[in-house]
Amino acid sequence: MQHKRTIAGIALAAAAIVTLAGCSATSSASTTKDDTNWKTATSAEASGGMDALVKAAKAEGQLNVIALPPSWANYGKIIDGFTKKYDIKVNSANPNGSSADEVAAVKSQKGQSTAPDVLDLGNAVLQENLDLLTDYKVANWSDIPDTLKDKDGAWTRDYTGLMSIGYDSSKITDAPKDLTDLLGSEYKGKVSIAGDPTQANQAASAVYLAALENGGSADDITKGVDYFGKLKQAGNFQNVLPTQATVASGETPVVIQWSYNNLAWGPAAGASGNKDWKTVVPEGQALGSYYSQAINKDAPHPAAARLWQEYIASPEAQNLYLQAGAFPATLSALEQSGKVDQDALDAAGGAPKDYVELTDAQVADAAKVLSAKWSSTMGS
């Protein structure tokens, strides 16, 4: 049993304000002037090297990303860093969308210049849509542990946080220790999660955590669904999608979501955050879940998509994740090479060691439970 861990005061650099340009890019050819077909390239090394990739990506001039809020895991600064480094315009669509929304966009916009080039997916949706992805291995492939990447390069895990409770301390007088506390009368109409658990990994992970806390397990998350049924029956569940704005305004005073998001919406966000917002990782088993980077096999900007993967895996971007309190996939390699942002790592409490993450098979089973029980339990 872990001691209660309260995360507060993490030095999170305020996310740079990024203009979310509309996805109206003109179509780019897959084959560049040097005859390299970047749409099928499985590594930069095998296709002319990094210089050739950068040249081709700059020629395309644009990159389409989706479902990447600037405050999520420091994506504002990551997108800004990519743009400044390569002078490539980033078109950011549906920043508050779910993993399911990302997949829907890939399918509905296939063959269009607005289709997402790259994806940032929760594991359940990832595993169900592998046919939409293409293989690519970044230059520092060896820095990514084997357990955090597809052997052929279809996807790589990139960062994880811990499921946490964020709360407005001006409205909640006693800090919650765990999810059971949220059943109390003080939380009437105050508790929300980040979306529909049948579509969004972050919301599903709140159910996973509830299962772990209530006698369930990673093998059977039924008791997690039951918990949320009790939360609704108590009148405490708030069916509102929380955002940084709703937290800042006080509309959503308690949010169960990833630690790096709760941290980003509090004092670290400055004037746009909630100065009274605090973050608690509940007692008991901590729950983590890596998100995965992947390339749309029909990406309209295939070279820029691959260059984005290279940037995301670089020490520069991996440390930007860490500065937001998210633990990057290459953390061990960063520590061994001396390239880790030690201040950010110390502020985040060190690498997570004692936590649970569902396996691919467990995620697939959990998705079946959610599909069968969530709607009927919550009356939606």
Side-chain angles (χ1 to χ4, degrees):
M1 180 77 76
Q2 290 180 199
H3 294 296
K4 176 178 138 187
R5 289 160 300 169
T6 302
I7 308 178
I10 287 186
L12 169 64
I17 301 300
V18 180
T19 299
L20 302 182
C23 295
S24 58
T26 56
S27 181
S28 299
S30 301
T31 305
T32 60
K33 291 181 180 179
D34 64 2
D35 294 327
T36 298
N37 188 348
W38 288 103
K39 190 175 285 289
T40 58
T42 56
S43 72
E45 182 181 9
S47 305
M50 279 298 298
D51 288 346
L53 176 59
V54 171
K55 180 180 179 181
K58 286 187 172 183
E60 292 173 350
Q62 303 198 43
L63 174 76
N64 297 340
V65 303
I66 184 171
L68 298 183
S71 64
W72 177 293
N74 233 0
Y75 266 119
K77 293 195 77 171
I78 290 171
I79 290 172
D80 190 50
F82 180 79
T83 298
K84 287 182 177 179
K85 186 168 186 175
Y86 298 112
D87 194 25
I88 293 173
K89 180 182 178 182
V90 177
N91 304 310
S92 181
N94 194 9
N96 291 316
S98 66
S99 293
D101 291 333
E102 296 183 57
V103 168
V106 168
K107 293 178 178 179
S108 66
Q109 297 176 42
K110 182 177 180 179
Q112 299 177 33
S113 62
T114 56
D117 288 304
V118 291
L119 302 167
D120 183 279
L121 297 171
N123 201 32
V125 174
L126 171 74
Q127 297 302 325
E128 293 171 355
N129 294 281
L130 296 173
D131 60 317
L132 301 179
L133 314 179
T134 190
D135 296 342
Y136 184 77
K137 295 183 178 181
V138 293
N140 62 333
W141 182 252
S142 62
D143 288 347
I144 305 170
D146 289 343
T147 55
L148 300 181
K149 61 190 177 187
D150 173 69
K151 63 182 179 62
D152 297 317
W155 51 263
T156 58
R157 309 288 196 228
D158 43 7
Y159 60 91
T160 187
L162 300 176
M163 193 52 46
S164 67
I165 303 169
Y167 69 99
D168 188 330
S169 61
S170 70
K171 300 179 184 298
I172 303 297
T173 55
D174 295 323
K177 299 180 179 66
D178 53 32
L179 299 188
T180 301
D181 286 349
L182 304 186
L183 294 170
S185 59
E186 185 180 7
Y187 296 90
K188 187 76 69 176
K190 290 184 171 69
V191 183
S192 60
I193 59 176
D196 181 345
T198 67
Q199 299 185 43
N201 178 61
Q202 183 170 213
S205 295
V207 182
Y208 304 163
L209 179 62
L212 296 177
E213 284 197 13
N214 289 277
S217 69
D219 290 318
D220 184 2
I221 58 106
T222 303
K223 290 187 177 180
V225 179
D226 293 342
Y227 164 84
F228 276 96
K230 293 176 183 177
L231 195 70
K232 182 172 184 180
Q233 289 172 6
N236 294 6
F237 184 73
Q238 183 184 27
N239 192 20
V240 174
L241 179 67
T243 65
Q244 184 169 332
T246 65
V247 163
S249 69
E251 181 184 355
T252 53
V254 180
V255 180
I256 306 170
Q257 64 176 352
W258 295 122
S259 52
Y260 48 78
N261 288 327
N262 272 324
L263 290 163
W265 294 358
S272 60
N274 183 331
K275 64 181 177 57
D276 297 313
W277 195 253
K278 295 185 178 180
T279 303
V280 173
V281 174
E283 294 179 338
Q285 290 179 303
L287 179 80
S289 178
Y290 278 91
Y291 282 78
S292 294
Q293 285 290 325
I295 299 172
N296 175 7
K297 70 178 181 182
D298 296 311
H301 310 104
R306 284 156 174 78
L307 186 59
W308 173 258
Q309 301 301 302
E310 296 284 358
Y311 181 72
I312 286 293
S314 72
E316 179 180 348
Q318 294 278 291
N319 274 316
L320 286 173
Y321 284 133
L322 188 58
Q323 289 170 17
F327 299 98
T330 66
L331 181 55
S332 179
L334 289 172
E335 289 183 285
Q336 291 175 15
S337 66
K339 295 179 181 178
V340 72
D341 183 332
Q342 193 62 49
D343 289 342
L345 181 58
D346 292 343
K353 297 179 177 65
D354 184 18
Y355 83 119
V356 175
E357 179 168 8
L358 273 64
T359 65
D360 293 349
Q362 288 169 335
V363 166
D365 289 342
K368 294 175 183 176
V369 172
L370 288 168
S371 179
K373 291 180 63 70
W374 181 259
S375 182
S376 60
T377 299
M378 303 302 287
S380 58

